Amino acid sequence: RYTQIPDDTFTPVSIRGGGGEDGTRAFYITLDSKELIYKLGNGPDSDVDVHASSAELEVYEGEGVLTYPFPAVAEISYYRYPRQYLGTIHYDRLPCKPYSVFGHVMDLPCPDMPTSSP
């Protein structure tokens, strides 16, 4: 069983490649029901071990928070970690949209796109 969150509830986010300050992002995923599925992680803490990866993406173990609004950090009994998200992450690594006259462009920087006169 996996978490299913409707596609229309997300806002697309653009992230530059290359990691570091420009290409690293963290996301908080929440639902207003008990349908968010995760499992116990393997690492000593959250944000340490990668539990899923591809050539373009690394997903680290995170935390589960048992209540909202978030309790004070001192109330540690409401936080569970490390946890692994069980779900699918859809992403598009094509950096140059829309498709150009050059076909699929898979590398940065994007080529200059010819434009027509107004």
Side-chain angles (χ1 to χ4, degrees):
R1 188 173 136 184
Y2 291 93
T3 302
Q4 183 171 348
I5 304 171
D7 290 340
D8 62 349
T9 62
F10 287 96
T11 301
V13 176
S14 180
I15 302 171
R16 293 181 55 162
E21 193 69 26
D22 290 332
T24 301
R25 299 290 182 270
F27 295 93
Y28 173 73
I29 301 169
T30 188
L31 295 176
D32 58 3
S33 68
K34 295 182 180 185
E35 300 299 316
L36 188 62
I37 308 297
Y38 57 85
K39 72 176 190 173
L40 183 63
N42 299 316
D45 205 346
S46 58
D47 305 325
V48 175
D49 284 0
V50 173
H51 83 87
S53 65
S54 71
E56 300 88 19
L57 186 69
E58 292 180 331
V59 179
Y60 283 80
E61 294 179 339
E63 297 184 15
V65 184
L66 302 180
T67 187
Y68 184 85
F70 295 136
V73 175
E75 296 183 60
I76 197 157
S77 62
Y78 289 102
Y79 294 87
R80 300 287 190 263
Y81 57 89
R83 295 295 184 261
Q84 295 180 356
Y85 170 71
L86 295 178
T88 302
I89 299 172
H90 296 274
Y91 66 96
D92 181 355
R93 77 170 296 278
L94 183 64
C96 305
K97 284 193 168 181
Y99 296 140
S100 74
V101 295
F102 304 105
H104 293 305
V105 179
M106 301 304 287
D107 296 308
L108 293 175
C110 297
D112 291 332
M113 302 293 184
T115 58
S116 61
S117 300

